[in-house]
Amino acid sequence: MSGSAHEATTVVGLLIFMALCGLLCVMTNAEDDGDDRAALRDLKPWQHGLAISGTGLSSVSLLAITGMVAVTGHDGVMMLLGMALSMVLLALVVAEPLRRTGARTVGDAITRRASRPSVRVAVALVTLTVCLAFLVLQLAAVGTLTVHMLGLEGTGPRTVGIVVIGGLMAALAATGGVRGTALVQIVKVGVLLAVFTALALFALRHFGWNPDRMLAAAVRGSAHGDALLGSGLQYGSDALGVLQQIGTALVIPLGIACLPHVTLRVLGVGRADRTRSALGWAAGQMLLISVLLGVAGFGAAAVVGDRLAGADASAGAVLSLAGALDPGGLLLSAVSCAVFLAALATVADVVLAGARTVAHDLYAHAVRRGTASPARVSAWARWTAPAIGMVAVLLAVLAGDWPLLVLSTVALTLSASALAPVLLYSLLWPRFTSRGALWCLYGSTVLTLALSAASPLLSAGPGAVFPDLDFQLTPLMVPGVVTIPAGFALGWLGSVLTPHTAGTHPAAEPRTTVETGDRSRAPTDADMR
């Protein structure tokens, strides 16, 4: 099959996928009053689990982290383990106390303890910052994939891919709501499991179904030789490299577990037994897909070899492997469509989370102080989704040629350093106060952005955004090793320095909300279970 036939097959498959996703959202469309548990009531726990894990599994995970496995071996595998650990952290620490709050957004959950209106505004602003950073990351990955998939050069194809997916994501989020996007996530996970299982099997068959032969070939084909199976290739093995490895080990699980669109999915599950079962499915699926991605990464190193050492390795490893294993082009088309579907579903979920934050936290509570009707809040959410989509598309076009590592580091570090400490403190620490929340949210966000701007990710490096400029002030490529402890420290310090007077600590009068179907009565023990 010729190259043009490959491209035609991939584009046709992609268009079919996008049409089916849009049809699915239209068919499941319902009036959205922000009651996610009611909208998702008929989903089974395993379906909730697939939707949660699918939300945490983005196109960047499929491209960048798999590419890191191919290029850095052991260090890339550690990233995959961090992805799997994010679902375990969500299941063991976050999900149950988050469910008990009865919240509709993360802002709701946090302001159970820190109830000042300024805290809700701060949570909303940081959430929108994380959402926009994550959206730009996903759309940049789509633009990079478009260039690789069509074999074209220049910014034109990249921009077209970004604009098309950006428009579709806003439409899916606005029309499908939380139910429609949940079903798209379930379809996405099924497709990813099927496609990457096939890719892993093709890779193993290429080496006679012998994993040892594949690893040996990966070592021979790698530019690093035996060092591929040891640690330190990504950041080095000196003290600075160890610190950055620790930062990565903290950022990935904490960042993914506390992303706004991931926690929004958890809030929609409902009862305790359903939540536990759903998170079990989510953790199992994430572990399975991580194993498949690891096989694909080492397969790319073994089959494609040191051609992956270039700057575009993170984006091209999976596609290069698929093209090499199946010259007919069918596998390459399937992988490309699966990654596009992953981007489409993830971006739609992030837009939905951002729109819900604007409508529920900013408009309904910060502006209207709880007096807005559900219909009005729903209308705000639907109209906000296209606006967020347009802003994200514009930013992604401007930053479309930035390395994915830069964008992913900023997005996940913001989530792990600002949202994670505040969310965990508000759920688990009774003495957490509004001052602690504000110090943590604003302080860690400013620190994250400042350290990222002054790091080798942006200047004075071969893989930097501006390699010809030099405004580097810190050697840390992963600021999470500083910003995550700083976020927790600021939240603690602000809380303990708050004068302990009556009304200072809202936790003294816990406000747990449970959707019982009867808003006139208090929740019973059976409801809480």
Side-chain angles (χ1 to χ4, degrees):
M1 185 182 293
S2 65
S4 59
H6 291 180
E7 297 162 9
T9 302
T10 302
V11 171
V12 170
L14 174 62
L15 292 176
I16 292 174
F17 268 127
M18 292 190 297
L20 290 176
C21 290
L23 180 62
L24 185 63
C25 282
V26 171
M27 291 177 62
T28 58
N29 184 28
E31 288 299 321
D32 179 13
D33 64 353
D35 191 349
D36 296 344
R37 295 181 181 182
L40 302 172
R41 184 179 294 120
D42 60 339
L43 292 186
K44 307 296 183 186
W46 68 268
Q47 293 173 314
H48 279 292
L50 294 185
I52 292 170
S53 62
T55 304
L57 184 63
S58 67
S59 59
V60 176
S61 304
L62 305 176
L63 291 174
I65 297 185
T66 308
M68 293 305 297
V69 173
V71 175
T72 66
H74 173 276
D75 292 351
V77 171
M78 292 299 102
M79 292 184 179
L80 289 177
L81 289 178
M83 283 173 44
L85 284 175
S86 68
M87 294 296 109
V88 176
L89 176 65
L90 199 61
L92 297 181
V93 180
V94 178
E96 183 63 18
L98 184 62
R99 178 199 66 83
R100 289 199 205 102
T101 66
R104 294 185 175 181
T105 65
V106 174
D108 272 350
I110 291 173
T111 52
R112 304 293 180 187
R113 288 277 168 84
S115 59
R116 283 166 48 184
S118 57
V119 175
R120 190 180 287 271
V121 173
V123 172
L125 292 177
V126 174
T127 298
L128 286 175
T129 302
V130 172
C131 286
L132 281 175
F134 208 75
L135 284 174
V136 173
L137 168 65
Q138 300 303 310
L139 291 175
V142 166
T144 302
L145 179 61
T146 301
V147 172
H148 280 274
M149 182 183 68
L150 299 180
L152 300 176
E153 300 291 339
T155 59
R158 180 188 296 116
T159 302
V160 170
I162 290 172
V163 172
V164 170
I165 296 296
L168 280 171
M169 67 167 185
L172 290 182
T175 60
V178 69
R179 177 176 172 78
T181 53
L183 295 179
V184 171
Q185 287 290 352
I186 294 170
V187 172
K188 158 189 160 179
V189 170
V191 171
L192 290 178
L193 286 175
V195 169
F196 279 89
T197 297
L199 184 63
L201 292 176
F202 267 78
L204 289 172
R205 188 185 69 170
H206 188 79
F207 294 97
W209 307 102
N210 189 331
D212 289 337
R213 286 182 56 191
M214 186 175 72
L215 285 177
V219 170
R220 291 194 303 270
S222 170
H224 304 288
D226 291 337
L228 184 72
L229 303 182
S231 63
L233 278 183
Q234 185 176 6
Y235 301 116
S237 56
D238 56 0
L240 178 62
V242 171
L243 281 177
Q244 300 199 98
Q245 291 177 38
I246 294 173
T248 302
L250 292 173
V251 163
I252 293 179
L254 269 177
I256 293 177
C258 295
L259 284 169
H261 51 292
V262 175
T263 52
L264 184 65
R265 287 276 166 226
V266 175
L267 287 170
V269 177
R271 299 194 314 265
D273 56 340
R274 292 167 62 89
T275 301
R276 287 190 291 268
S277 180
L279 268 297
W281 278 94
Q285 185 275 327
M286 187 66 87
L287 179 61
L288 177 57
I289 197 69
S290 297
V291 171
L292 295 175
L293 294 177
V295 174
F298 282 114
V303 174
V304 184
D306 57 7
R307 284 177 287 168
L308 293 174
D312 62 347
S314 62
V318 172
L319 301 180
S320 299
L321 175 64
L325 291 175
D326 181 23
L330 182 60
L331 184 60
L332 175 60
S333 299
V335 170
S336 300
C337 290
V339 176
F340 259 109
L341 178 61
L344 180 66
T346 300
V347 169
D349 255 12
V350 179
V351 170
L352 180 66
R356 183 68 59 82
T357 296
V358 171
H360 186 76
D361 292 326
L362 288 181
Y363 173 71
H365 285 84
V367 177
R368 296 295 300 272
R369 301 300 175 94
T371 62
S373 66
R376 188 69 175 171
V377 175
S378 176
W380 264 77
R382 290 182 183 276
W383 284 108
T384 302
I388 293 176
M390 287 188 291
V391 172
V393 167
L394 177 61
L395 293 176
V397 169
L398 296 175
D401 56 349
W402 286 24
L404 297 183
L405 179 61
V406 177
L407 299 168
S408 61
T409 299
V410 173
L412 288 179
T413 304
L414 274 175
S415 176
S417 304
L419 293 181
V422 172
L423 183 60
L424 292 175
Y425 275 146
S426 64
L427 296 177
L428 304 175
W429 188 29
R431 286 199 61 195
F432 190 53
T433 65
S434 297
R435 178 183 290 180
L438 291 172
W439 284 22
C440 177
L441 288 166
Y442 288 129
S444 56
T445 298
V446 171
L447 183 61
T448 298
L449 295 177
L451 289 180
S452 298
S455 74
L457 292 174
L458 257 70
S459 68
V465 176
F466 307 107
D468 298 329
L469 301 178
D470 186 0
F471 45 86
Q472 175 185 334
L473 299 177
T474 171
L476 284 175
M477 296 181 65
V478 184
V481 72
V482 173
T483 59
I484 292 175
F488 281 99
L490 288 170
W492 172 82
L493 187 62
S495 296
V496 298
L497 291 181
T498 302
H500 189 66
T501 58
T504 294
H505 300 295
E509 298 180 4
R511 297 177 292 167
T512 300
T513 303
V514 176
E515 295 296 333
T516 64
D518 181 1
R519 297 180 186 271
S520 64
R521 66 179 177 89
T524 65
D525 291 340
D527 295 325
M528 294 302 293
R529 290 193 295 270

